[in-house]
Amino acid sequence: MIQLKTQIKWIACSLMAGLIIQSFTNCSKAKGDSEDDDTPKTGFLTGIVKDQSGNPLEGVRVLVDHSIFFNSNITGLTNSQGKYAIKVPTGSWYAFAMKEAEYHGKTYSFYLHPDHSAGFGGEGAVRNFVWRLSGVMPEPLSGHYGGLITIDHFSGVYIEAREIDFVLTPMGPLIDGSQGERLRPQAEDGYTLKDIPIGRYRLTATYEGKPVSFRRWNSDETFVEDYEVNFEPQIAAQCDNCAALEYYWEP
């Protein structure tokens, strides 16, 4: 009888110990899984791509480009969770992400913003990206995430473009579906309005208190004081994600 009680007690203790070990193992695994998302895996570039609202982006092209040899790159696509994994050989690499987006019947391409822009090697790396509509691109890229509006004067009209008061008012959602804001950019270089989130805008402007009129650059269109800005994915030999305008003003 004593022996039976001892066996039952031993079995109960064994079961309890097993439950404790299993519980510890499960907790360790869950913690490890979470850490794996941020821990580089040897020989792989991994990460997740999201929009500015934190939603995962599927079908984004991630480009792993060699920092020395021209046109030596590897690409991969994000899945429905915005995640990707690309096997990389020994070397010196940079990671980029590019997204294409349809907007009013046109297809635009964008570089996405990395959480780290430094290069890496065969030890692997984690690079997460966010689709930003404006902001300065980190090296090795240059420029801005936003669109560009070039402005030129009509023949015979010479005013200080830096002193023109430009106002851009959104006409509906921006390219990522977000609601835009009223902007008052300045032509700091006298020729361009930089880093404008891609969307449709109503452009108005004044100079010395009098209205400035606009039309599409190098066209025979009529100058208007209330101009609808539509960005082009590319203007050949000039710029990408941009609009080219010329202005007219009478004193």
Side-chain angles (χ1 to χ4, degrees):
M1 186 68 174
I2 294 175
Q3 184 178 5
L4 179 60
K5 288 183 178 179
T6 301
Q7 290 177 341
I8 292 174
K9 185 176 181 180
W10 182 85
I11 292 172
C13 290
S14 298
L15 291 173
M16 182 62 69
L19 289 173
I20 292 173
I21 292 172
Q22 183 64 38
S23 177
F24 178 79
T25 302
N26 289 341
C27 289
S28 298
K29 184 176 180 181
K31 183 179 180 182
D33 287 346
S34 176
E35 290 178 343
D36 284 346
D37 290 340
D38 298 320
T39 302
K41 298 177 178 63
T42 301
F44 282 88
L45 175 71
T46 60
I48 186 169
V49 181
K50 299 180 180 180
D51 63 17
Q52 294 189 102
S53 298
N55 302 309
L57 294 175
E58 182 179 6
V60 172
R61 184 165 66 96
V62 179
L63 174 68
V64 183
D65 194 22
H66 202 281
S67 64
I68 300 175
F69 299 110
F70 177 73
N71 202 27
S72 297
N73 53 64
I74 309 167
T75 61
L77 296 175
T78 58
N79 62 17
S80 60
Q81 296 178 315
K83 296 183 178 182
Y84 70 91
I86 301 173
K87 185 172 178 58
V88 294
T90 300
S92 178
W93 307 95
Y94 284 107
F96 308 96
M98 299 191 68
K99 175 177 174 56
E100 290 190 346
E102 296 284 336
Y103 188 68
H104 293 289
K106 300 175 182 178
T107 302
Y108 300 79
S109 295
F110 299 90
Y111 278 104
L112 307 190
H113 184 74
D115 55 357
H116 300 289
S117 59
F120 61 94
E123 74 278 5
V126 176
R127 294 291 183 268
N128 302 311
F129 295 89
V130 176
W131 183 16
R132 292 185 179 178
L133 296 190
S134 63
V136 178
M137 295 182 182
E139 293 182 353
L141 297 175
S142 62
H144 298 81
Y145 293 114
L148 179 74
I149 299 176
T150 65
I151 53 174
D152 195 8
H153 61 83
F154 181 67
S155 179
V157 177
Y158 300 100
I159 61 178
E160 182 52 71
R162 295 177 183 84
E163 297 180 8
I164 298 176
D165 182 16
F166 296 93
V167 178
L168 288 166
T169 304
M171 302 173 63
L174 303 180
I175 193 168
D176 67 347
S178 64
Q179 297 301 312
E181 299 179 350
R182 189 168 178 263
L183 305 174
R184 301 190 70 171
Q186 291 183 318
E188 296 178 355
D189 59 3
Y191 302 98
T192 59
L193 304 178
K194 299 177 180 178
D195 203 25
I196 308 298
I198 297 295
R200 278 186 170 176
Y201 293 90
R202 182 168 62 89
L203 171 63
T204 57
T206 57
Y207 178 75
E208 295 185 348
K210 296 181 179 180
V212 179
S213 300
F214 298 91
R215 72 180 182 185
R216 184 166 53 88
W217 177 76
N218 199 28
S219 74
D220 293 325
E221 296 174 359
T222 302
F223 284 99
V224 295
E225 297 176 4
D226 192 331
Y227 184 83
E228 181 178 310
V229 177
N230 289 284
F231 289 90
E232 296 295 332
Q234 183 179 73
I235 297 179
Q238 292 193 46
C239 53
D240 297 331
N241 295 349
C242 57
L245 313 179
E246 59 184 13
Y247 62 83
Y248 181 78
W249 180 83
E250 290 183 353

